[in-house]
Amino acid sequence: MEGRIDPPSSMLRLTEDDIRQQATEGEVWLIGETPEACLFLTRKADALYLGKLATAAGQQRRGLARRLVALADLRARQMGLAALELQVRVELVENHATFAALGFIKTGETAHPGFDRPTSFTFRKAVT
């Protein structure tokens, strides 16, 4: 997504301390030692928020993100939450389609500070 989204992803600024903090306040999931895919999970009042979902370039189209989302659905159910929630950048239309195919519905739009247009869409999915 580098060069495609504005503003640039905060993922590019993540530090080891940021990841440690996320692991303390929520959860950090990885597939593979390198890692091949990752996902941050944060409990909200009514949903499990999925953040920083990413798959390494050489590992895409293998179903890794789909597997992480399916496991997050199970985790949300275990936590007694009714929904999964995530945000997708406006420019990443292929991701909108992927999440729609996974049962997510667009529920809102947000703008990063300093922008007068939506920069992200919020999607939600009922836990199955």
Side-chain angles (χ1 to χ4, degrees):
M1 71 182 146
E2 190 173 349
R4 292 184 58 202
I5 61 171
D6 187 28
S9 174
S10 63
M11 191 170 232
L12 299 174
R13 296 185 308 272
L14 279 178
T15 66
E16 286 184 32
D17 285 341
D18 295 330
I19 296 168
R20 237 183 251 99
Q21 182 175 350
Q22 173 62 33
T24 300
E25 297 173 1
E27 299 178 31
V28 176
W29 292 0
L30 303 172
I31 294 177
E33 223 175 284
T34 303
E36 298 170 357
C38 68
L39 176 64
F40 285 10
L41 295 97
T42 305
R43 184 185 186 123
K44 296 177 77 174
D46 63 341
L48 185 59
Y49 182 79
L50 312 182
K52 306 298 185 234
L53 177 59
T55 303
Q59 302 299 319
Q60 294 174 348
R61 308 201 70 70
R62 292 185 41 220
L64 299 177
R66 183 180 304 270
R67 190 175 338 155
L68 287 171
V69 170
L71 289 170
D73 187 274
L74 176 62
R75 182 70 176 122
R77 196 171 343 118
Q78 292 170 341
M79 297 170 85
L81 298 170
L84 298 177
E85 184 176 282
L86 54 83
Q87 289 190 306
V88 180
R89 291 302 189 91
V90 170
E91 298 91 343
L92 302 178
V93 293
E94 65 280 8
N95 290 6
H96 306 171
T98 296
F99 291 120
L102 292 174
F104 286 83
I105 297 168
K106 180 182 163 192
T107 59
E109 300 177 347
T110 57
H112 285 79
F115 285 78
D116 62 356
R117 61 166 176 81
T119 54
S120 296
F121 295 144
T122 301
F123 286 82
R124 287 179 69 97
K125 173 190 182 303
V127 170
T128 54

PDB file of all heavy atoms in Angstrom, residues 31-62:
ATOM      1  N   ILE A  31       1.772 -15.172  11.971  1.00  0.00           N
ATOM      2  CA  ILE A  31       1.908 -16.471  11.314  1.00  0.00           C
ATOM      3  C   ILE A  31       3.327 -16.522  10.787  1.00  0.00           C
ATOM      4  O   ILE A  31       3.759 -15.625  10.054  1.00  0.00           O
ATOM      5  CB  ILE A  31       0.907 -16.647  10.151  1.00  0.00           C
ATOM      6  CG1 ILE A  31      -0.525 -16.686  10.689  1.00  0.00           C
ATOM      7  CG2 ILE A  31       1.225 -17.913   9.365  1.00  0.00           C
ATOM      8  CD1 ILE A  31      -1.585 -16.792   9.603  1.00  0.00           C
ATOM      9  N   GLY A  32       4.046 -17.551  11.168  1.00  0.00           N
ATOM     10  CA  GLY A  32       5.405 -17.738  10.681  1.00  0.00           C
ATOM     11  C   GLY A  32       6.433 -17.050  11.543  1.00  0.00           C
ATOM     12  O   GLY A  32       6.142 -16.102  12.274  1.00  0.00           O
ATOM     13  N   GLU A  33       7.631 -17.543  11.461  1.00  0.00           N
ATOM     14  CA  GLU A  33       8.735 -17.015  12.244  1.00  0.00           C
ATOM     15  C   GLU A  33       9.191 -15.655  11.736  1.00  0.00           C
ATOM     16  O   GLU A  33       9.664 -14.819  12.484  1.00  0.00           O
ATOM     17  CB  GLU A  33       9.904 -18.008  12.185  1.00  0.00           C
ATOM     18  CG  GLU A  33      10.562 -18.229  13.508  1.00  0.00           C
ATOM     19  CD  GLU A  33      11.610 -19.303  13.411  1.00  0.00           C
ATOM     20  OE1 GLU A  33      11.233 -20.490  13.350  1.00  0.00           O
ATOM     21  OE2 GLU A  33      12.797 -18.946  13.374  1.00  0.00           O
ATOM     22  N   THR A  34       9.041 -15.405  10.455  1.00  0.00           N
ATOM     23  CA  THR A  34       9.634 -14.216   9.828  1.00  0.00           C
ATOM     24  C   THR A  34       8.953 -12.880  10.151  1.00  0.00           C
ATOM     25  O   THR A  34       9.682 -11.934  10.316  1.00  0.00           O
ATOM     26  CB  THR A  34       9.738 -14.435   8.307  1.00  0.00           C
ATOM     27  OG1 THR A  34      10.485 -15.601   8.075  1.00  0.00           O
ATOM     28  CG2 THR A  34      10.386 -13.276   7.623  1.00  0.00           C
ATOM     29  N   PRO A  35       7.748 -12.585  10.233  1.00  0.00           N
ATOM     30  CA  PRO A  35       6.488 -13.289  10.040  1.00  0.00           C
ATOM     31  C   PRO A  35       5.931 -13.141   8.619  1.00  0.00           C
ATOM     32  O   PRO A  35       6.281 -12.221   7.903  1.00  0.00           O
ATOM     33  CB  PRO A  35       5.552 -12.628  11.041  1.00  0.00           C
ATOM     34  CG  PRO A  35       6.051 -11.232  11.131  1.00  0.00           C
ATOM     35  CD  PRO A  35       7.549 -11.311  10.914  1.00  0.00           C
ATOM     36  N   GLU A  36       5.022 -14.069   8.278  1.00  0.00           N
ATOM     37  CA  GLU A  36       4.364 -14.051   6.968  1.00  0.00           C
ATOM     38  C   GLU A  36       3.102 -13.193   6.989  1.00  0.00           C
ATOM     39  O   GLU A  36       2.709 -12.637   5.970  1.00  0.00           O
ATOM     40  CB  GLU A  36       4.018 -15.475   6.546  1.00  0.00           C
ATOM     41  CG  GLU A  36       5.238 -16.362   6.382  1.00  0.00           C
ATOM     42  CD  GLU A  36       4.880 -17.819   6.205  1.00  0.00           C
ATOM     43  OE1 GLU A  36       3.685 -18.182   6.260  1.00  0.00           O
ATOM     44  OE2 GLU A  36       5.804 -18.616   6.000  1.00  0.00           O
ATOM     45  N   ALA A  37       2.446 -13.130   8.156  1.00  0.00           N
ATOM     46  CA  ALA A  37       1.233 -12.329   8.309  1.00  0.00           C
ATOM     47  C   ALA A  37       1.112 -11.906   9.766  1.00  0.00           C
ATOM     48  O   ALA A  37       1.653 -12.569  10.652  1.00  0.00           O
ATOM     49  CB  ALA A  37       0.001 -13.118   7.876  1.00  0.00           C
ATOM     50  N   CYS A  38       0.393 -10.790   9.985  1.00  0.00           N
ATOM     51  CA  CYS A  38       0.209 -10.314  11.354  1.00  0.00           C
ATOM     52  C   CYS A  38      -1.168  -9.684  11.518  1.00  0.00           C
ATOM     53  O   CYS A  38      -1.829  -9.320  10.542  1.00  0.00           O
ATOM     54  CB  CYS A  38       1.292  -9.305  11.723  1.00  0.00           C
ATOM     55  SG  CYS A  38       1.181  -7.743  10.844  1.00  0.00           S
ATOM     56  N   LEU A  39      -1.574  -9.573  12.791  1.00  0.00           N
ATOM     57  CA  LEU A  39      -2.849  -8.957  13.131  1.00  0.00           C
ATOM     58  C   LEU A  39      -2.775  -8.464  14.569  1.00  0.00           C
ATOM     59  O   LEU A  39      -2.298  -9.178  15.446  1.00  0.00           O
ATOM     60  CB  LEU A  39      -3.990  -9.974  12.991  1.00  0.00           C
ATOM     61  CG  LEU A  39      -5.384  -9.526  13.401  1.00  0.00           C
ATOM     62  CD1 LEU A  39      -5.878  -8.394  12.503  1.00  0.00           C
ATOM     63  CD2 LEU A  39      -6.354 -10.701  13.354  1.00  0.00           C
ATOM     64  N   PHE A  40      -3.234  -7.237  14.787  1.00  0.00           N
ATOM     65  CA  PHE A  40      -3.398  -6.695  16.139  1.00  0.00           C
ATOM     66  C   PHE A  40      -4.876  -6.801  16.485  1.00  0.00           C
ATOM     67  O   PHE A  40      -5.728  -6.480  15.657  1.00  0.00           O
ATOM     68  CB  PHE A  40      -3.009  -5.215  16.193  1.00  0.00           C
ATOM     69  CG  PHE A  40      -1.539  -4.915  16.151  1.00  0.00           C
ATOM     70  CD1 PHE A  40      -0.589  -5.880  15.867  1.00  0.00           C
ATOM     71  CD2 PHE A  40      -1.100  -3.633  16.399  1.00  0.00           C
ATOM     72  CE1 PHE A  40       0.775  -5.579  15.831  1.00  0.00           C
ATOM     73  CE2 PHE A  40       0.253  -3.309  16.375  1.00  0.00           C
ATOM     74  CZ  PHE A  40       1.184  -4.281  16.092  1.00  0.00           C
ATOM     75  N   LEU A  41      -5.179  -7.209  17.720  1.00  0.00           N
ATOM     76  CA  LEU A  41      -6.556  -7.288  18.190  1.00  0.00           C
ATOM     77  C   LEU A  41      -6.711  -6.405  19.423  1.00  0.00           C
ATOM     78  O   LEU A  41      -5.879  -6.468  20.333  1.00  0.00           O
ATOM     79  CB  LEU A  41      -6.939  -8.723  18.554  1.00  0.00           C
ATOM     80  CG  LEU A  41      -6.957  -9.683  17.368  1.00  0.00           C
ATOM     81  CD1 LEU A  41      -5.651 -10.437  17.294  1.00  0.00           C
ATOM     82  CD2 LEU A  41      -8.101 -10.638  17.476  1.00  0.00           C
ATOM     83  N   THR A  42      -7.773  -5.615  19.434  1.00  0.00           N
ATOM     84  CA  THR A  42      -8.059  -4.725  20.554  1.00  0.00           C
ATOM     85  C   THR A  42      -9.532  -4.839  20.911  1.00  0.00           C
ATOM     86  O   THR A  42     -10.398  -4.673  20.045  1.00  0.00           O
ATOM     87  CB  THR A  42      -7.728  -3.261  20.194  1.00  0.00           C
ATOM     88  OG1 THR A  42      -6.366  -3.184  19.750  1.00  0.00           O
ATOM     89  CG2 THR A  42      -7.945  -2.342  21.378  1.00  0.00           C
ATOM     90  N   ARG A  43      -9.790  -5.128  22.180  1.00  0.00           N
ATOM     91  CA  ARG A  43     -11.174  -5.233  22.634  1.00  0.00           C
ATOM     92  C   ARG A  43     -11.779  -3.838  22.748  1.00  0.00           C
ATOM     93  O   ARG A  43     -11.193  -2.936  23.360  1.00  0.00           O
ATOM     94  CB  ARG A  43     -11.221  -5.930  23.984  1.00  0.00           C
ATOM     95  CG  ARG A  43     -12.637  -6.150  24.464  1.00  0.00           C
ATOM     96  CD  ARG A  43     -12.677  -6.741  25.852  1.00  0.00           C
ATOM     97  NE  ARG A  43     -14.052  -7.055  26.169  1.00  0.00           N
ATOM     98  CZ  ARG A  43     -14.471  -8.249  26.518  1.00  0.00           C
ATOM     99  NH1 ARG A  43     -13.631  -9.244  26.646  1.00  0.00           N
ATOM    100  NH2 ARG A  43     -15.745  -8.448  26.766  1.00  0.00           N
ATOM    101  N   LYS A  44     -12.941  -3.671  22.145  1.00  0.00           N
ATOM    102  CA  LYS A  44     -13.734  -2.455  22.301  1.00  0.00           C
ATOM    103  C   LYS A  44     -14.971  -2.854  23.107  1.00  0.00           C
ATOM    104  O   LYS A  44     -15.167  -4.030  23.406  1.00  0.00           O
ATOM    105  CB  LYS A  44     -14.131  -1.907  20.927  1.00  0.00           C
ATOM    106  CG  LYS A  44     -12.923  -1.455  20.092  1.00  0.00           C
ATOM    107  CD  LYS A  44     -13.324  -0.997  18.727  1.00  0.00           C
ATOM    108  CE  LYS A  44     -13.918   0.387  18.781  1.00  0.00           C
ATOM    109  NZ  LYS A  44     -14.191   0.936  17.444  1.00  0.00           N
ATOM    110  N   ALA A  45     -15.806  -1.886  23.438  1.00  0.00           N
ATOM    111  CA  ALA A  45     -16.982  -2.177  24.249  1.00  0.00           C
ATOM    112  C   ALA A  45     -17.888  -3.221  23.609  1.00  0.00           C
ATOM    113  O   ALA A  45     -18.390  -4.110  24.286  1.00  0.00           O
ATOM    114  CB  ALA A  45     -17.762  -0.888  24.515  1.00  0.00           C
ATOM    115  N   ASP A  46     -18.070  -3.122  22.302  1.00  0.00           N
ATOM    116  CA  ASP A  46     -19.036  -4.003  21.642  1.00  0.00           C
ATOM    117  C   ASP A  46     -18.456  -4.831  20.499  1.00  0.00           C
ATOM    118  O   ASP A  46     -19.192  -5.505  19.787  1.00  0.00           O
ATOM    119  CB  ASP A  46     -20.206  -3.172  21.108  1.00  0.00           C
ATOM    120  CG  ASP A  46     -19.772  -2.175  20.043  1.00  0.00           C
ATOM    121  OD1 ASP A  46     -18.561  -1.865  19.957  1.00  0.00           O
ATOM    122  OD2 ASP A  46     -20.636  -1.697  19.290  1.00  0.00           O
ATOM    123  N   ALA A  47     -17.143  -4.771  20.296  1.00  0.00           N
ATOM    124  CA  ALA A  47     -16.549  -5.478  19.155  1.00  0.00           C
ATOM    125  C   ALA A  47     -15.066  -5.744  19.415  1.00  0.00           C
ATOM    126  O   ALA A  47     -14.446  -5.097  20.254  1.00  0.00           O
ATOM    127  CB  ALA A  47     -16.697  -4.643  17.880  1.00  0.00           C
ATOM    128  N   LEU A  48     -14.544  -6.676  18.662  1.00  0.00           N
ATOM    129  CA  LEU A  48     -13.104  -6.921  18.649  1.00  0.00           C
ATOM    130  C   LEU A  48     -12.554  -6.185  17.438  1.00  0.00           C
ATOM    131  O   LEU A  48     -12.953  -6.473  16.294  1.00  0.00           O
ATOM    132  CB  LEU A  48     -12.811  -8.417  18.574  1.00  0.00           C
ATOM    133  CG  LEU A  48     -11.339  -8.820  18.678  1.00  0.00           C
ATOM    134  CD1 LEU A  48     -10.729  -8.347  20.001  1.00  0.00           C
ATOM    135  CD2 LEU A  48     -11.200 -10.333  18.544  1.00  0.00           C
ATOM    136  N   TYR A  49     -11.681  -5.218  17.683  1.00  0.00           N
ATOM    137  CA  TYR A  49     -11.125  -4.407  16.600  1.00  0.00           C
ATOM    138  C   TYR A  49      -9.895  -5.099  16.026  1.00  0.00           C
ATOM    139  O   TYR A  49      -8.981  -5.484  16.755  1.00  0.00           O
ATOM    140  CB  TYR A  49     -10.752  -3.004  17.096  1.00  0.00           C
ATOM    141  CG  TYR A  49     -10.235  -2.139  15.983  1.00  0.00           C
ATOM    142  CD1 TYR A  49     -11.118  -1.530  15.097  1.00  0.00           C
ATOM    143  CD2 TYR A  49      -8.875  -1.975  15.778  1.00  0.00           C
ATOM    144  CE1 TYR A  49     -10.641  -0.758  14.045  1.00  0.00           C
ATOM    145  CE2 TYR A  49      -8.399  -1.208  14.729  1.00  0.00           C
ATOM    146  CZ  TYR A  49      -9.293  -0.606  13.866  1.00  0.00           C
ATOM    147  OH  TYR A  49      -8.827   0.144  12.822  1.00  0.00           O
ATOM    148  N   LEU A  50      -9.884  -5.252  14.711  1.00  0.00           N
ATOM    149  CA  LEU A  50      -8.778  -5.876  13.994  1.00  0.00           C
ATOM    150  C   LEU A  50      -7.948  -4.772  13.358  1.00  0.00           C
ATOM    151  O   LEU A  50      -8.441  -4.025  12.520  1.00  0.00           O
ATOM    152  CB  LEU A  50      -9.293  -6.823  12.907  1.00  0.00           C
ATOM    153  CG  LEU A  50     -10.378  -7.820  13.322  1.00  0.00           C
ATOM    154  CD1 LEU A  50     -10.745  -8.716  12.142  1.00  0.00           C
ATOM    155  CD2 LEU A  50      -9.948  -8.627  14.520  1.00  0.00           C
ATOM    156  N   GLY A  51      -6.695  -4.676  13.749  1.00  0.00           N
ATOM    157  CA  GLY A  51      -5.828  -3.643  13.217  1.00  0.00           C
ATOM    158  C   GLY A  51      -4.538  -4.230  12.678  1.00  0.00           C
ATOM    159  O   GLY A  51      -4.147  -5.347  13.019  1.00  0.00           O
ATOM    160  N   LYS A  52      -3.894  -3.468  11.841  1.00  0.00           N
ATOM    161  CA  LYS A  52      -2.580  -3.843  11.296  1.00  0.00           C
ATOM    162  C   LYS A  52      -2.578  -5.229  10.649  1.00  0.00           C
ATOM    163  O   LYS A  52      -1.586  -5.942  10.692  1.00  0.00           O
ATOM    164  CB  LYS A  52      -1.494  -3.777  12.382  1.00  0.00           C
ATOM    165  CG  LYS A  52      -1.409  -2.454  13.116  1.00  0.00           C
ATOM    166  CD  LYS A  52      -1.069  -1.322  12.192  1.00  0.00           C
ATOM    167  CE  LYS A  52      -0.867  -0.042  12.983  1.00  0.00           C
ATOM    168  NZ  LYS A  52      -1.687   1.052  12.506  1.00  0.00           N
ATOM    169  N   LEU A  53      -3.690  -5.605  10.054  1.00  0.00           N
ATOM    170  CA  LEU A  53      -3.743  -6.874   9.326  1.00  0.00           C
ATOM    171  C   LEU A  53      -2.897  -6.729   8.065  1.00  0.00           C
ATOM    172  O   LEU A  53      -3.142  -5.863   7.237  1.00  0.00           O
ATOM    173  CB  LEU A  53      -5.186  -7.221   8.955  1.00  0.00           C
ATOM    174  CG  LEU A  53      -5.408  -8.483   8.129  1.00  0.00           C
ATOM    175  CD1 LEU A  53      -4.871  -9.711   8.845  1.00  0.00           C
ATOM    176  CD2 LEU A  53      -6.891  -8.656   7.822  1.00  0.00           C
ATOM    177  N   ALA A  54      -1.867  -7.566   7.960  1.00  0.00           N
ATOM    178  CA  ALA A  54      -0.959  -7.460   6.824  1.00  0.00           C
ATOM    179  C   ALA A  54      -0.377  -8.823   6.501  1.00  0.00           C
ATOM    180  O   ALA A  54      -0.191  -9.658   7.382  1.00  0.00           O
ATOM    181  CB  ALA A  54       0.170  -6.483   7.133  1.00  0.00           C
ATOM    182  N   THR A  55      -0.099  -9.016   5.235  1.00  0.00           N
ATOM    183  CA  THR A  55       0.548 -10.237   4.757  1.00  0.00           C
ATOM    184  C   THR A  55       1.785  -9.814   3.967  1.00  0.00           C
ATOM    185  O   THR A  55       1.726  -8.887   3.162  1.00  0.00           O
ATOM    186  CB  THR A  55      -0.402 -11.034   3.839  1.00  0.00           C
ATOM    187  OG1 THR A  55      -1.597 -11.324   4.569  1.00  0.00           O
ATOM    188  CG2 THR A  55       0.225 -12.331   3.379  1.00  0.00           C
ATOM    189  N   ALA A  56       2.894 -10.485   4.209  1.00  0.00           N
ATOM    190  CA  ALA A  56       4.139 -10.188   3.487  1.00  0.00           C
ATOM    191  C   ALA A  56       3.906 -10.349   1.983  1.00  0.00           C
ATOM    192  O   ALA A  56       3.159 -11.230   1.549  1.00  0.00           O
ATOM    193  CB  ALA A  56       5.246 -11.115   3.966  1.00  0.00           C
ATOM    194  N   ALA A  57       4.553  -9.504   1.209  1.00  0.00           N
ATOM    195  CA  ALA A  57       4.335  -9.487  -0.245  1.00  0.00           C
ATOM    196  C   ALA A  57       4.464 -10.864  -0.879  1.00  0.00           C
ATOM    197  O   ALA A  57       3.634 -11.254  -1.694  1.00  0.00           O
ATOM    198  CB  ALA A  57       5.301  -8.508  -0.896  1.00  0.00           C
ATOM    199  N   GLY A  58       5.448 -11.618  -0.525  1.00  0.00           N
ATOM    200  CA  GLY A  58       5.647 -12.932  -1.125  1.00  0.00           C
ATOM    201  C   GLY A  58       4.700 -14.009  -0.626  1.00  0.00           C
ATOM    202  O   GLY A  58       4.702 -15.130  -1.140  1.00  0.00           O
ATOM    203  N   GLN A  59       3.871 -13.674   0.359  1.00  0.00           N
ATOM    204  CA  GLN A  59       2.961 -14.648   0.962  1.00  0.00           C
ATOM    205  C   GLN A  59       1.493 -14.349   0.671  1.00  0.00           C
ATOM    206  O   GLN A  59       0.606 -15.059   1.161  1.00  0.00           O
ATOM    207  CB  GLN A  59       3.184 -14.703   2.484  1.00  0.00           C
ATOM    208  CG  GLN A  59       4.594 -15.047   2.887  1.00  0.00           C
ATOM    209  CD  GLN A  59       5.008 -16.413   2.377  1.00  0.00           C
ATOM    210  OE1 GLN A  59       4.234 -17.356   2.401  1.00  0.00           O
ATOM    211  NE2 GLN A  59       6.234 -16.519   1.882  1.00  0.00           N
ATOM    212  N   GLN A  60       1.220 -13.329  -0.092  1.00  0.00           N
ATOM    213  CA  GLN A  60      -0.166 -12.938  -0.373  1.00  0.00           C
ATOM    214  C   GLN A  60      -0.858 -13.969  -1.252  1.00  0.00           C
ATOM    215  O   GLN A  60      -0.228 -14.733  -1.956  1.00  0.00           O
ATOM    216  CB  GLN A  60      -0.200 -11.552  -1.003  1.00  0.00           C
ATOM    217  CG  GLN A  60       0.271 -10.504  -0.019  1.00  0.00           C
ATOM    218  CD  GLN A  60       0.405  -9.125  -0.626  1.00  0.00           C
ATOM    219  OE1 GLN A  60       0.357  -8.950  -1.834  1.00  0.00           O
ATOM    220  NE2 GLN A  60       0.580  -8.134   0.227  1.00  0.00           N
ATOM    221  N   ARG A  61      -2.191 -13.976  -1.142  1.00  0.00           N
ATOM    222  CA  ARG A  61      -3.074 -14.854  -1.923  1.00  0.00           C
ATOM    223  C   ARG A  61      -2.933 -16.323  -1.510  1.00  0.00           C
ATOM    224  O   ARG A  61      -3.210 -17.224  -2.292  1.00  0.00           O
ATOM    225  CB  ARG A  61      -2.873 -14.653  -3.415  1.00  0.00           C
ATOM    226  CG  ARG A  61      -2.976 -13.170  -3.798  1.00  0.00           C
ATOM    227  CD  ARG A  61      -3.281 -12.890  -5.223  1.00  0.00           C
ATOM    228  NE  ARG A  61      -4.596 -13.216  -5.700  1.00  0.00           N
ATOM    229  CZ  ARG A  61      -5.744 -12.600  -5.389  1.00  0.00           C
ATOM    230  NH1 ARG A  61      -5.752 -11.648  -4.519  1.00  0.00           N
ATOM    231  NH2 ARG A  61      -6.876 -12.976  -5.944  1.00  0.00           N
ATOM    232  N   ARG A  62      -2.520 -16.549  -0.260  1.00  0.00           N
ATOM    233  CA  ARG A  62      -2.434 -17.905   0.279  1.00  0.00           C
ATOM    234  C   ARG A  62      -3.475 -18.146   1.359  1.00  0.00           C
ATOM    235  O   ARG A  62      -3.482 -19.206   1.975  1.00  0.00           O
ATOM    236  CB  ARG A  62      -1.035 -18.158   0.865  1.00  0.00           C
ATOM    237  CG  ARG A  62       0.065 -18.202  -0.185  1.00  0.00           C
ATOM    238  CD  ARG A  62       1.418 -18.577   0.388  1.00  0.00           C
ATOM    239  NE  ARG A  62       1.336 -19.643   1.367  1.00  0.00           N
ATOM    240  CZ  ARG A  62       2.040 -19.693   2.504  1.00  0.00           C
ATOM    241  NH1 ARG A  62       2.886 -18.724   2.802  1.00  0.00           N
ATOM    242  NH2 ARG A  62       1.913 -20.692   3.334  1.00  0.00           N
TER     243      ARG A  62
END
